[in-house]
Amino acid sequence: MNFSKSIIFVFFLQFSTFFSFSQLSTLRNKIEAITHDKKAKVGVSILDLDKGDTLTINNSHHFPMQSVFKFHLALAVLNQIDQGKMTLNQPIFVKKTDLLPNLWSPMREKYPEGNVTLPLSEIIQFTVSQSDNSGCDLLFKLIGGTEVANRYIHGLGIKDVAIKNPEVEIQADWNIQYKNWTTPSAATKLLESFYKKNILSKKNYDFLWKTMVETTTGPNKIKGKLPKEAIIAHKTGYSGANKDGLVGATNDVGIVILPNGKKFAIALFVSDSMENEKTNDGIMAEVAKVVWDYYLGE
């Protein structure tokens, strides 16, 4: 009897593994059908936050992160807060010279003359939710530079990532963006660490989660074809196009919670693309939708 049960269990386990692999293969085929004819390098990583199943496409490629690294930076800042080096409510004096000219900065639009004292939490919110470049570089200065953030992420066991340059350098030289890179799976592993591994205190986790859910940039990327009520905590990145029409990077990474309670981390990178913005965003929106449908119907 026990022997028979063991045989049945082994058969069930093998069948379940085969079925899961088959389903993921179908999902991969659907994603590749979306990306195969695009004039761009597309990187994808999907991580099931319940079962741990993964799917990656072009995972050996180093994709420029652009503003996606502001998620990494926020984690590094909040880690220092957890260590007692700073507080969320700590007043930070923002000089006019901190509000970098000719760069994307909603913070500068709100406080054009600078010389204002803001709580650290507000600067993080500007940086993550609105992808503020001035806030980003101010945060790098507060923690001691890009290398501090880089070491922190590597210390979490996420090695396939490089944070080398602040926004002022990235925006000044087109080629610099390629020095700040990640693999797709490194991005989803970091999202998993944030969501599941208690790398932040609950207070700081809740703060960053809310900040990412409130992200206003990239509404047509991961969120583009998903239901408006979908819960998505994400961070986008975008290089714009150079004089030849080449888009160095347009990205979105995040955590998606479905109505059935299932959860997945997703990282989408579109690099060196000769497609227009609508097409690039559409790639990400369509991929996110087929992944959503896969987990909703699984």
Side-chain angles (χ1 to χ4, degrees):
M1 187 70 175
N2 289 338
F3 179 76
S4 298
K5 287 182 178 179
S6 296
I7 294 294
I8 292 170
F9 175 76
V10 170
F11 173 79
F12 177 76
L13 185 63
Q14 290 177 337
F15 177 79
S16 297
T17 302
F18 173 79
F19 183 75
S20 177
F21 179 79
S22 176
Q23 291 290 90
L24 282 173
S25 295
T26 300
L27 178 60
R28 175 185 294 275
N29 291 339
K30 289 181 178 180
I31 293 173
E32 289 179 342
I34 294 167
T35 64
H36 83 279
D37 63 343
K38 303 302 188 293
K39 293 176 285 186
K41 187 79 168 182
V42 180
V44 177
S45 179
I46 312 298
L47 172 58
D48 185 327
L49 291 171
D50 299 307
K51 298 179 181 177
D53 293 342
T54 61
L55 183 157
T56 61
I57 294 173
N58 287 327
N59 194 50
S60 62
H61 188 73
H62 291 180
F63 288 91
M65 286 189 284
Q66 280 290 337
S67 289
V68 162
F69 76 176
K70 290 168 184 169
F71 167 57
H72 303 58
L73 170 59
L75 289 174
V77 174
L78 293 169
N79 173 66
Q80 291 203 2
I81 291 173
D82 279 337
Q83 292 180 29
K85 296 179 180 180
M86 297 179 282
T87 68
L88 266 180
N89 295 325
Q90 182 171 326
I92 304 295
F93 185 70
V94 181
K95 303 188 296 292
K96 186 169 186 177
T97 53
D98 291 323
L99 301 174
L100 307 172
N102 304 319
L103 294 182
W104 172 256
S105 181
M107 183 165 62
R108 186 185 62 238
E109 293 177 9
K110 185 173 181 179
Y111 306 107
E113 298 305 316
N115 299 320
V116 60
T117 299
L118 303 176
L120 179 55
S121 59
E122 185 174 353
I123 297 171
I124 296 172
Q125 288 168 328
F126 269 117
T127 300
V128 176
S129 290
Q130 300 184 56
S131 210
D132 195 290
N133 290 335
S134 295
C136 173
D137 284 4
L138 185 53
L139 292 177
F140 275 131
K141 289 178 184 177
L142 285 173
I143 66 171
T146 55
E147 185 54 35
V148 173
N150 196 60
R151 282 199 308 270
Y152 170 68
I153 300 301
H154 285 192
L156 296 174
I158 314 296
K159 304 294 186 181
D160 290 330
V161 60
I163 304 169
K164 299 296 184 184
N165 305 88
E167 284 287 0
V168 67
E169 295 175 7
I170 294 171
Q171 303 304 325
D173 183 336
W174 177 263
N175 292 317
I176 291 292
Q177 67 180 301
Y178 296 97
K179 295 183 178 181
N180 295 265
W181 58 267
T182 185
T183 61
S185 67
T188 51
K189 286 176 183 176
L190 185 60
L191 289 163
E192 179 188 33
S193 294
F194 164 64
Y195 188 73
K196 294 182 66 176
K197 297 186 177 179
N198 300 317
I199 60 174
L200 297 177
S201 65
K202 185 177 187 309
K203 177 182 178 181
N204 285 335
Y205 167 83
D206 290 344
F207 167 75
L208 184 53
W209 176 264
K210 181 174 184 291
T211 300
M212 292 175 71
V213 169
E214 292 174 350
T215 289
T216 58
T217 57
N220 298 316
K221 298 183 186 336
I222 287 176
K223 298 176 72 172
K225 293 194 172 185
L226 300 187
K228 295 196 181 303
E229 65 273 16
I231 300 172
I232 305 164
H234 67 125
K235 182 71 199 82
T236 62
Y238 180 53
S239 68
N242 67 10
K243 58 182 177 59
D244 299 316
L246 180 74
V247 176
T250 181
N251 314 317
D252 203 357
V253 308
I255 294 167
V256 180
I257 301 180
L258 288 86
N260 60 10
K262 293 179 181 178
K263 302 169 286 291
F264 64 88
I266 182 169
L268 302 173
F269 297 90
V270 180
S271 182
D272 293 334
S273 176
M274 291 303 296
E275 307 287 355
N276 59 33
E277 183 175 5
K278 182 178 180 181
T279 299
N280 289 327
D281 284 358
I283 293 169
M284 287 180 271
E286 289 179 30
V287 171
K289 183 61 166 59
V290 299
V291 176
W292 170 278
D293 290 344
Y294 168 78
Y295 282 110
L296 199 60
E298 189 183 32

